[in-house]
Amino acid sequence: MERTKSTKIKIISLVASLLICFALIGVGVWAAVSQKLTIDNNITITTSGQTKVAVTVSEYINASTDAVSAAPQDEISSSWTEKVTKDAETDTATGSVSPINFNLTEGKNYYAYKFEFTNSSDNMAYAHISASAVNNEQITIYYGETWGATMQALGNNVALDQDVDLAATDGTGEFYIVVASKAPLEELKAVEGPIEFNITVTLDQLA
């Protein structure tokens, strides 16, 4: 009788231990897949004076859960999606691109934006590109006039402020911005509320 009771106690203890283990595993997995870093962003384009510049803003979202340790170099020329446009005769255009959402469920590790400019003015024009400072060590913002390894990394909590020179009469130019996760998505720490990352392009004839 005592042996039977002892065996029952051992079985109950074993089952209880297993349930606790499974509960801990379940909580751990839920936390990992629910962590995320979200950035809401808008793009505003304005023209001042007699400047006549057409602008097209396109985006590309990379499907991967890996960390991004350097400026992306993969060939994506056919994968851009147009999001915001402004013709040469229009003074202002505002549009939203896809919200930047880094989490394991979404599985996107960088968001890229391409700005294409065509100057139809009789004078030299300049595209002044600025973006909000983002204070988060988990991401890196890359930028440059050429896609690939030559893009530079913006420091943490540093606002973007760059110019693109556009020659008179059909002068063209490009600019790229990439917002990337520095860590594998499963290692990201959640943040409270969205982080704003707004991009503004001002077109004028002032260097």
Side-chain angles (χ1 to χ4, degrees), residues 118-133:
T118 302
N119 177 24
S120 58
S121 309
D122 293 333
N123 300 308
M124 188 87 173
Y126 302 89
H128 308 286
I129 303 163
S130 60
S132 313

Side-chain angles (χ1 to χ4, degrees), residues 30-198:
W30 177 85
V33 299
S34 66
Q35 290 173 345
K36 63 182 177 181
L37 169 65
T38 302
I39 301 177
D40 286 343
N41 48 326
N42 296 301
I43 295 176
T44 301
I45 306 165
T46 59
T47 300
S48 64
Q50 299 301 311
T51 308
K52 304 294 182 184
V53 177
V55 183
T56 299
V57 183
S58 303
E59 74 173 9
Y60 168 78
I61 305 173
N62 193 61
S64 174
T65 61
D66 296 335
V68 179
S69 57
Q73 301 179 47
D74 41 323
E75 176 57 50
I76 59 172
S77 59
S78 62
S79 302
W80 295 99
T81 300
E82 286 189 13
K83 301 295 289 187
V84 186
T85 60
K86 186 194 81 66
D87 62 43
E89 301 300 323
T90 301
D91 290 335
T92 302
T94 300
S96 297
V97 290
S98 300
I100 300 173
N101 194 346
F102 293 118
N103 68 48
L104 193 58
T105 303
E106 292 289 334
K108 315 296 185 185
N109 67 344
Y110 76 77
Y111 293 71
Y113 308 100
K114 176 172 66 171
F115 300 78
E116 298 173 279
F117 305 99
T118 302
N119 177 24
S120 58
S121 309
D122 293 333
N123 300 308
M124 188 87 173
Y126 302 89
H128 308 286
I129 303 163
S130 60
S132 313
V134 176
N135 187 14
N136 194 298
E137 296 282 1
Q138 300 179 100
I139 66 174
T140 303
I141 296 171
Y142 298 96
Y143 66 92
E145 293 185 40
T146 305
W147 175 262
T150 59
M151 289 190 292
Q152 301 180 52
L154 192 66
N156 182 59
N157 203 25
V158 176
L160 179 67
D161 185 10
Q162 294 291 311
D163 295 339
V164 176
D165 298 351
L166 304 169
T169 315
D170 296 327
T172 61
E174 292 182 351
F175 193 81
Y176 298 87
I177 296 175
V178 177
V179 184
S181 174
K182 291 170 64 174
L185 299 187
E186 65 268 20
E187 296 179 9
L188 289 178
K189 296 178 182 178
V191 294
E192 291 187 10
I195 300 171
E196 289 188 1
F197 182 65
N198 297 316

